[in-house]
């Protein structure tokens, strides 16, 4: 898919901005603080319901404005007609439209537009909290498996209920029903995640071998959130019940899942240099984008924030060559064009941002 139009109002320092990107590589340059990243945040917000720099209420709305508005139009390879989505967000409330009709859940916008973002905080996918890695898996599944979301919702709802009962010190009989519900949804949820990670494995290994060969052969392992090799989730919940009743929350299950990378040449993620952590995160994100393309028949939009400050020239070139071969639409931001682009025969669409205004492009 490729974005054909991005309009925003009240986005960080932009009173109003309108971008008409091209299908290939779109380069957005400008000085520090000009507003380049904000444009990628707008896309990310539409595709994830949040920015990669936090929630809407944490500064995404321009000072003094009551809300921000984003409008995105894009073309899908498999569909003739253009698609369009609009979002008005006040930090508390939001109103969204997709293809002219109101949406009742932000997830509807996120399901429609697929964007993979790599930005200076992306190393947290490897070195940060487990929640970031769960979100990564769930985002991928959300886009490639239509029945994943109902399963995920069912599990999340049951978990909420069980935790509320644990806090209220409910009796065992009341907990039984929710343990059953958690097990019924949590087991298939776990199988999907496990299978998804297995499918990512060869793509991830190939990308990591190309981008970060010093790590040796890499392997992805899923950690389900309970001792699954020993007993099913229903038994794990029962065994943890006394402890959970004391703690007031559910201590085992897919909401505690994680995945980790085994490295052939280093002991573990603690031994990664910052650059290696970034390249590992980028390998994971591009593996996910490739997998999405293989299943859905089209690439997600790829947004690379501040590419030159994240990767050295050699790595920039490898990533760009791979993306050029893929025909994905790519957005790259930087204070100037990444040095790797200078040596490549690439057709570029250029935009320049100055003090919250788009000039040229
Ligand atoms: N809520 C807000 N209201 C008004 N201005 C804001 C708000 N939030 C951020 N800004 C300003 O908007 C700009 C943010 O721009 P952004 O992070 O997109 O810049 P950038 O061009 O990517 O910069 P850099 O090269 O430094 O990463 C900054 O100048 C910042 O001070």
């Amino acid at each position: 898919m490729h974005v054909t139009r991005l309009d925003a109002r009240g986005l960080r320092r932009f009173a109003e901005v309108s971008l008409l990107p091209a299908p290939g590589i779109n380069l957005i340059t400008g000085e520090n603080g000009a507003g380049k990243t904000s444009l990628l945040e707008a896309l990310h917000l539409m595709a994830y319901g949040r920015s990669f720099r936090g929630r809407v209420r944490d500064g995404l709305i321009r000072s003094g404005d009551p809300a921000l508005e984003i409008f995105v139009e894009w073309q899908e390879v498999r569909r003739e007609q253009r698609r369009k989505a609009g979002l008005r967000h006040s930090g508390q409330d939001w109103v969204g439209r997709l293809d002219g009709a109101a949406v009742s859940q932000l997830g509807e916008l996120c399901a429609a537009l697929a964007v993979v973002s790599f930005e200076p905080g992306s190393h947290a996918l490897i070195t940060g909290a487990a929640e970031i890695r769960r979100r990564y898996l769930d985002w991928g599944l959300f886009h490639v498996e239509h029945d994943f979301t109902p399963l995920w919702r069912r599990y999340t709802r049951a978990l909420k209920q069980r935790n509320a009962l644990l806090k209220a010190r409910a009796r065992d009989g009341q907990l039984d029903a929710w343990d059953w519900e958690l097990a019924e949804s949590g087991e298939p949820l776990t199988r999907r995640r496990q299978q998804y990670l297995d499918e990512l494995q060869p793509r991830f290994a190939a990308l990591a071998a190309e981008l970060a060969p010093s790590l040796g052969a890499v392997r992805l392992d899923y950690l389900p959130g309970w001792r699954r090799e020993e007993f099913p989730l229903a038994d794990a919940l029962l065994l943890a019940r006394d402890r959970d009743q004391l703690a007031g929350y559910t201590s085992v299950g897919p909401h505690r899942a994680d995945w980790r990378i085994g490295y052939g040449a280093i002991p573990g993620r603690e031994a990664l240099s910052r650059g290696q952590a970034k390249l590992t995160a980028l390998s994971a994100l591009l593996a996910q984008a490739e997998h999405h393309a293989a299943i859905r028949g089209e690439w997600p939009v790829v947004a690379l924030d501040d590419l030159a400050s994240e990767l050295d020239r050699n790595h920039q070139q490898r990533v760009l060559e791979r993306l050029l071969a893929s025909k994905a639409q790519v957005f790259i931001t930087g204070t100037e064009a990444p040095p790797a682009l200078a040596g490549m025969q690439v057709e570029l669409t250029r935009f320049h941002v100055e003090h919250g205004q788009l000039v040229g492009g």
Side-chain angles (χ1 to χ4, degrees):
M1 60 179 62
H2 69 268
V3 172
T4 50
R5 179 178 197 109
L6 168 67
D7 293 346
R9 259 192 291 276
L11 169 75
R12 295 211 188 267
R13 69 180 301 177
F14 289 106
E16 194 158 10
V17 62
S18 185
L19 190 78
L20 299 174
I25 297 204
N26 294 273
L27 175 66
I28 306 171
T29 53
E31 290 181 355
N32 290 134
K36 308 173 296 289
T37 303
S38 315
L39 295 171
L40 302 191
E41 280 186 288
L43 266 186
H44 194 94
L45 177 65
M46 197 65 107
Y48 292 80
R50 65 200 304 281
S51 156
F52 47 73
R53 292 197 282 193
R55 294 163 304 184
V56 174
R57 63 172 174 271
D58 299 330
L60 211 60
I61 303 170
R62 183 170 176 251
S63 287
D65 282 9
L68 66 79
E69 290 174 30
I70 297 169
F71 176 78
V72 182
E73 244 177 43
W74 69 98
Q75 182 83 50
E76 282 182 8
V77 175
R78 293 167 312 151
R79 286 165 67 128
E80 299 259 309
Q81 101 246 42
R82 293 215 161 155
R83 307 204 67 191
K84 54 186 182 183
L87 177 67
R88 183 178 199 279
H89 208 308
S90 71
Q92 303 291 336
D93 307 313
W94 60 268
V95 184
R97 293 184 78 74
L98 179 62
D99 300 325
V103 297
S104 58
Q105 291 179 330
L106 270 183
E108 293 175 51
L109 301 178
C110 307
L113 181 65
V115 177
V116 167
S117 306
F118 175 67
E119 45 86 29
S122 289
H123 59 86
L125 178 62
I126 307 303
T127 54
E131 187 194 349
I132 303 170
R133 283 180 294 282
R134 282 194 297 276
R135 240 192 266 141
Y136 163 89
L137 287 186
D138 293 346
W139 182 87
L141 280 160
F142 176 65
H143 279 278
V144 298
E145 279 204 29
H146 292 301
D147 56 353
F148 180 74
T149 305
L151 205 55
W152 186 89
R153 286 218 183 96
R154 189 176 158 198
Y155 181 81
T156 308
R157 192 175 139 259
L159 181 66
K160 240 184 180 163
Q161 297 288 345
R162 187 180 194 265
N163 284 344
L165 287 174
L166 288 170
K167 274 206 186 74
R169 309 203 174 279
R171 280 173 291 112
D172 280 349
Q174 286 174 285
L175 287 169
D176 286 345
W178 292 110
D179 280 14
W180 184 85
E181 182 68 6
L182 277 173
E184 282 291 297
S185 51
E187 290 280 4
L189 185 89
T190 299
R191 285 195 293 276
R192 304 292 168 89
R193 283 177 171 169
Q194 172 84 64
Q195 192 191 336
Y196 180 64
L197 206 65
D198 289 347
E199 286 171 16
L200 288 183
Q201 164 70 35
R203 297 183 191 282
F204 173 68
L207 278 154
E210 192 179 325
L211 295 178
S214 61
L215 301 178
V218 290
R219 194 189 60 251
L220 297 172
D221 288 315
Y222 187 61
L223 309 169
W226 81 95
R227 301 212 307 269
R228 188 171 175 231
E229 66 293 348
E230 288 177 34
F231 28 72
L233 180 55
D235 292 359
L237 287 164
L238 200 58
L239 281 168
R241 190 177 282 183
D242 287 348
R243 188 177 61 214
D244 290 357
Q245 279 171 324
L246 277 177
Y249 64 85
T250 305
S251 62
V252 290
H255 61 290
R256 305 294 298 265
D258 197 356
W259 52 271
R260 104 184 131 204
I261 302 170
Y263 304 90
I266 61 165
R269 69 178 191 181
E270 297 73 22
L272 288 169
S273 77
R274 195 148 167 105
Q276 286 172 327
K278 284 178 190 172
L279 290 165
T280 312
L282 183 59
S283 303
L285 290 165
L286 292 179
Q288 187 165 52
E290 275 187 18
H291 179 268
H292 182 286
I295 304 285
R296 297 290 305 262
E298 61 186 343
W299 271 73
V301 174
V302 178
L304 305 170
D305 187 31
D306 217 355
L307 184 70
S309 79
E310 293 303 296
L311 307 185
D312 62 42
R313 186 183 176 135
N314 177 21
H315 286 100
Q316 289 166 32
Q317 183 157 345
R318 290 188 202 185
V319 170
L320 290 169
E321 277 168 357
R322 199 149 184 142
L323 289 170
L324 277 170
S326 75
K327 305 264 184 287
Q329 183 184 40
V330 183
F331 290 85
I332 300 172
T333 68
T335 49
E336 47 202 37
L341 276 174
M344 297 168 68
Q345 293 293 323
V346 186
E347 209 175 296
L348 278 181
T349 305
R350 291 171 183 270
F351 301 92
H352 190 71
V353 188
E354 272 177 22
H355 316 300
Q357 303 266 348
L358 196 64
V359 290

